[in-house]
Amino acid sequence: MHIRDRNLIPVWEKIQRGERLTLDDGLRAYTSGDLIGLGAMAGAVQKDKSGDAVYFVLNQKIEPTNVCVLSCKFCDFAVRKGDPRAYEMSVEEILGKLSPEIREVHITGGMPPDWPWDRYLEILKAVHDRLPEADIKAFTAVEIDFFHKKFRMPVAEVLRQLQSVGLRTMPGGGAEVFSERVRRLLFHQKIGAKAWLDIHRTAHRLGIPTNSTLLYGHIETLEERLTHMIRLRELQDETGGFLTFIPLAFQPGETGIKPANRFTSAADDLRTIALSRLMLDNIPHIKAYWVMLTGEVASVALNFGADDMDGTVGGEKIAHDAGALSPMTMAKETIIRLIRDAGKIPVERDAYYNPLHVYHDRVVGKIPYLNSVPFYARLERRGFRILPVVPRRMGILSALGEIDAGLFSLMDYLRQENDMELMGWCIATRDQVKSVMLFSKGGWRELDGSRIGITDDTATSVQLLNVLLEKKYGVHARFERLHQGVNAYDGLGAVLLIGDEALRRNKHGLKGFDLVYDLAREWYEWQKLPFVFAVWAVRRSVPPAVKEELSGLLKQSLESAGGDFVPLAGTHGRRIGLTDAETQEYLSGFNYSLGEREREAIAVFRRLLPAVASGALASSRDMEAR
Ligand code: V47
């Protein structure tokens, strides 16, 4: 790590110890002259979270109207009704903007005085009907608050109705800067920090993940920027519902806030991206919004902590009305080139950051949990490209031919046995696992007829839970998928958590769910066998020499640990709140080599699976339909 400024070293040491940065740490980093050192720190944190992946989405921006009852000083987009520049789009005009390849439709706009509630519902419904495969990301907290007041409905009711006609996620706009001083000067009619955060909290509780933003580069201070980030971090601790953070570089236009054409400097943009990555340790993604940064600065930002380029953004108007220099839409090929220029792997995604296509060969999937860390030490040094991806998604990507090798959830390997071969390595437990846990309100038999929340990440653990419920305890429950990261557990009898989240909850408990069951222990007590959660597998079509190299690197990685996992995985463990001793104990509880007992355990589990009779395994869709 090349850090020239000695002031940055204590900050970097804190990050490595898994400690949070304070406002003072943030100020020290922000004001450092060592931009390259700062970028290296943020880039390392980014790599830990997203490997070499940089995400983008094929998206369309729709701003149904620019008529707005507010008049914020920094906005050149909004006009009053009757203004010659005013426009109001019909549903047909909106549908006319959609093309079939779009995967995310981003809808926000002005707040007109006279639109009825049904018009908004009609727009969402029409878009959803036209493009059922696309995710609708619509309405900022400011618009939600406007609907709540104008149509006299509680915020939760507004959101529920929008959800029922197709709303999937919410954009992060309208946050501006959480500072009363700035609000009074620039957007006094807009909701303040508390209302913005409350609306996002409510959305998260309803299972709607959201984005977050900061509008920087006008009259705010560095302290105000950092305080803003800290408040977002606090809400994220509570709900887990933010997907990404987007620093929005102020576009001066004719707003009169800054002399015309005074854009933020590239150095300020890169520092702000880096600071976002370092301060917001619990928000999964940082977006380099090229519309406001320009493609070139956004591309550089991909080595300063950002792992997302937003998307093709057809039809953006807010920034362009304020004089943004970027082109109106960016072709997919250009985005892919900018990401490759930054030395990263372009990954096309949906609004939830599920990867859809990977634009690179020889990609190795990495389950982003602590127990996979020991395998990757050598791989990362030898040029294989790593894509961190939750187990279920890795199975989907590999079935599409997008991943060549990886540590697969057992179920995903079984579904693809014809195309994939085992590599002799796995994640198996001797008895307990500690990271596949059922948090329950009652004992096993009390779960009969109840609803069990299952995280969106899992394939094998859900099948294991199903087998335990049905075959060990004779209990029937209904599974409901929870969205990754959103902690909405209302009305559930139990919740199945896996990976780092389960480890964390195992240590601190999950409020309201007092009984905790370790599924591997349940299995062991029943079958007296280990349980194999994941296996290393490689596509059969990969050349034998590459397979051998990969296998050798996995072996070297494990051997380099020599039974002491702290040097490899201590930082990851600390980041999720484990002491080094706990990390060591957790990781030494696994068997990483696929031996006879493990193969026998797979065979037994396989026989217990519901749809094996015909030779076909239950697909995750069958599970969802239960
Ligand atoms: O809230 C308004 C900002 C935001 C200007 O969630 C300006 O994925 C710069 O939030 N210069 C709306 N910014 C845009 C937004 C957004 C954009 C892209 C992706 C996502 C997402 C969200 O635009 C407003 C305001 O902060 N804004 N005027 C201006 N002159």
Side-chain angles (χ1 to χ4, degrees):
M1 176 70 59
H2 192 76
I3 300 177
R4 202 169 34 81
D5 177 2
R6 297 180 58 179
N7 278 325
L8 287 178
I9 290 174
V11 177
W12 179 235
E13 284 172 350
K14 237 177 157 173
I15 292 168
Q16 284 181 305
R17 287 196 301 270
E19 286 172 31
R20 279 225 149 138
L21 301 189
T22 60
L23 179 66
D24 281 346
D25 297 324
L27 278 172
R28 185 185 294 213
Y30 233 136
T31 49
S32 165
D34 184 6
L35 183 56
I36 298 299
L38 189 60
M41 283 161 51
V45 173
Q46 169 200 357
K47 188 151 178 129
D48 216 32
K49 285 191 189 291
S50 34
D52 298 311
V54 169
Y55 297 90
F56 71 95
V57 61
L58 301 182
N59 58 356
Q60 175 73 39
K61 186 102 201 276
I62 295 192
E63 281 134 0
T65 176
N66 60 352
V67 175
C68 192
V69 294
L70 305 187
S71 41
C72 304
K73 282 210 175 118
F74 56 78
C75 180
D76 268 350
F77 165 73
V79 297
R80 293 277 162 189
K81 203 167 169 76
D83 186 293
R85 291 165 298 166
Y87 72 85
E88 297 181 45
M89 290 163 77
S90 66
V91 170
E92 287 64 39
E93 281 174 296
I94 289 172
L95 294 181
K97 297 212 166 278
L98 301 176
S99 49
E101 72 280 6
I102 297 294
R103 287 305 303 249
E104 178 192 86
V105 186
H106 178 175
I107 308 176
T108 54
M111 294 180 285
D114 52 357
W115 281 27
W117 175 231
D118 284 352
R119 187 156 176 182
Y120 297 98
L121 296 177
E122 207 186 314
I123 291 175
L124 257 54
K125 190 169 181 322
V127 171
H128 181 61
D129 287 349
R130 175 63 60 89
L131 289 183
E133 292 283 300
D135 299 314
I136 299 181
K137 172 176 85 179
F139 304 127
T140 65
V142 179
E143 290 161 284
I144 300 295
D145 181 69
F146 173 71
F147 301 151
H148 147 67
K149 291 188 177 126
K150 185 165 188 327
F151 305 114
R152 296 170 197 278
M153 278 190 286
V155 166
E157 184 54 25
V158 169
L159 289 169
R160 255 187 235 112
Q161 291 199 23
L162 293 171
Q163 212 176 5
S164 75
V165 289
L167 178 91
R168 291 285 168 270
T169 67
M170 265 172 63
E176 321 313 3
V177 192
F178 295 149
S179 148
E180 263 312 289
R181 181 189 76 82
V182 178
R183 190 173 83 89
R184 267 189 247 114
L185 290 169
L186 295 190
F187 48 97
H188 64 276
Q189 298 160 319
K190 246 185 201 176
I191 56 173
K194 185 177 178 310
W196 191 97
L197 292 163
D198 278 347
I199 288 169
H200 281 257
R201 180 183 287 109
T202 307
H204 298 169
R205 293 242 161 89
L206 291 171
I208 303 171
T210 71
N211 296 342
S212 56
T213 57
L214 159 75
L215 181 66
Y216 71 96
H218 43 92
I219 62 164
E220 83 295 349
T221 62
L222 292 185
E223 207 158 353
E224 283 166 336
R225 292 185 193 179
L226 290 163
T227 306
H228 182 102
M229 293 178 196
I230 291 171
R231 293 190 73 175
L232 290 172
R233 186 169 78 181
E234 284 165 1
L235 180 57
Q236 181 73 342
D237 276 342
E238 193 187 316
T239 66
F242 287 123
L243 293 166
T244 185
F245 174 72
I246 314 149
L248 296 169
F250 178 63
Q251 314 287 306
E254 303 298 317
T255 57
I257 290 173
K258 268 184 157 184
N261 295 328
R262 279 283 304 282
F263 288 89
T264 51
S265 68
D268 190 14
D269 294 336
L270 295 176
R271 271 199 191 95
T272 305
I273 294 274
L275 257 296
S276 314
R277 184 60 291 161
L278 297 178
M279 296 298 291
L280 297 169
D281 50 20
N282 54 0
I283 296 192
H285 304 283
I286 303 291
K287 190 181 282 191
Y289 189 45
W290 61 264
V291 173
M292 296 186 186
L293 295 179
T294 73
E296 289 72 17
V297 174
S299 179
V300 180
L302 304 181
N303 279 289
F304 276 74
D307 69 340
D308 182 28
M309 280 278 275
D310 198 86
T312 41
V313 199
E316 200 286 335
K317 287 180 76 60
I318 296 179
H320 287 93
D321 284 355
L325 299 173
S326 58
M328 274 291 270
T329 59
M330 194 175 270
K332 177 170 148 184
E333 289 66 32
T334 313
I335 292 201
I336 290 176
R337 183 176 50 75
L338 289 173
I339 296 174
R340 287 202 172 127
D341 284 351
K344 304 283 178 179
I345 316 173
V347 179
E348 196 180 318
R349 63 166 175 87
D350 63 13
Y352 298 103
Y353 286 81
N354 289 315
L356 303 172
H357 299 291
V358 185
Y359 293 84
H360 204 284
D361 294 336
R362 305 262 181 274
V363 171
V364 178
K366 179 181 183 182
I367 296 177
Y369 305 146
L370 181 58
N371 59 13
S372 81
V373 173
F375 285 114
Y376 288 86
R378 293 295 149 103
L379 233 58
E380 285 177 344
R381 284 188 218 151
R382 287 288 277 276
F384 280 93
R385 299 306 237 159
I386 314 280
L387 179 70
V389 57
V390 294
R392 200 170 76 97
R393 212 62 218 176
M394 197 185 317
I396 294 171
L397 282 178
S398 142
L400 292 169
E402 306 273 337
I403 280 185
D404 284 328
L407 181 57
F408 285 88
S409 171
L410 176 67
M411 288 305 300
D412 287 315
Y413 162 71
L414 293 177
R415 282 189 201 110
Q416 294 175 52
E417 261 176 318
N418 292 340
D419 299 321
M420 308 294 288
E421 63 190 60
L422 291 173
M423 297 179 72
W425 306 105
C426 67
I427 297 221
T429 51
R430 303 198 182 114
D431 55 357
Q432 61 174 350
V433 56
K434 295 188 191 153
S435 55
V436 180
M437 311 296 292
L438 185 73
F439 294 83
S440 181
K441 287 191 173 148
W444 284 94
R445 293 188 209 282
E446 289 164 62
L447 287 172
D448 203 23
S450 73
R451 291 159 53 218
I452 300 182
I454 55 173
T455 70
D456 207 19
D457 304 350
T458 83
T460 304
S461 309
V462 175
Q463 294 282 5
L464 172 60
L465 175 61
N466 187 39
V467 163
L468 289 170
L469 283 166
E470 305 240 336
K471 304 265 165 70
K472 183 174 178 190
Y473 292 105
V475 160
H476 303 280
R478 218 175 71 221
F479 290 166
E480 273 182 30
R481 282 211 180 272
L482 303 169
H483 278 298
Q484 194 185 329
V486 174
N487 309 330
Y489 303 145
D490 290 352
L492 298 174
V495 181
L496 174 67
L497 296 178
I498 70 163
D500 292 354
E501 177 69 1
L503 271 176
R504 226 186 327 245
R505 296 294 185 183
N506 198 18
K507 191 166 171 184
H508 302 291
L510 184 61
K511 213 168 143 217
F513 298 87
D514 294 335
L515 297 176
V516 186
Y517 299 106
D518 184 315
L519 294 202
R521 170 159 284 167
E522 287 287 331
W523 168 263
Y524 183 81
E525 283 168 359
W526 184 31
Q527 298 291 341
K528 296 287 174 283
L529 279 172
F531 191 82
V532 182
F533 284 97
V535 289
W536 268 94
V538 59
R539 187 170 300 289
R540 289 185 196 277
S541 58
V542 167
V546 178
K547 283 182 193 159
E548 252 170 57
E549 187 185 7
L550 195 56
S551 220
L553 290 172
L554 294 176
K555 187 161 185 273
Q556 280 175 28
S557 291
L558 282 176
E559 283 174 357
S560 75
D564 178 7
F565 294 103
V566 173
L568 286 182
T571 310
H572 186 123
R574 272 170 252 136
R575 215 182 51 229
I576 60 170
L578 300 191
T579 63
D580 286 354
E582 285 166 339
T583 297
Q584 174 63 19
E585 194 196 336
Y586 173 65
L587 291 175
S588 42
F590 290 103
N591 194 351
Y592 298 102
S593 162
L594 189 69
E596 275 315 304
R597 293 265 297 159
E598 287 74 30
R599 287 176 198 269
E600 184 191 343
I602 294 176
V604 170
F605 179 58
R606 210 178 166 136
R607 282 199 293 276
L608 288 163
L609 286 171
V612 188
S614 64
L617 284 153
S619 74
S620 53
R621 287 220 176 273
D622 298 333
M623 291 299 299
E624 277 159 39
R626 281 166 44 85

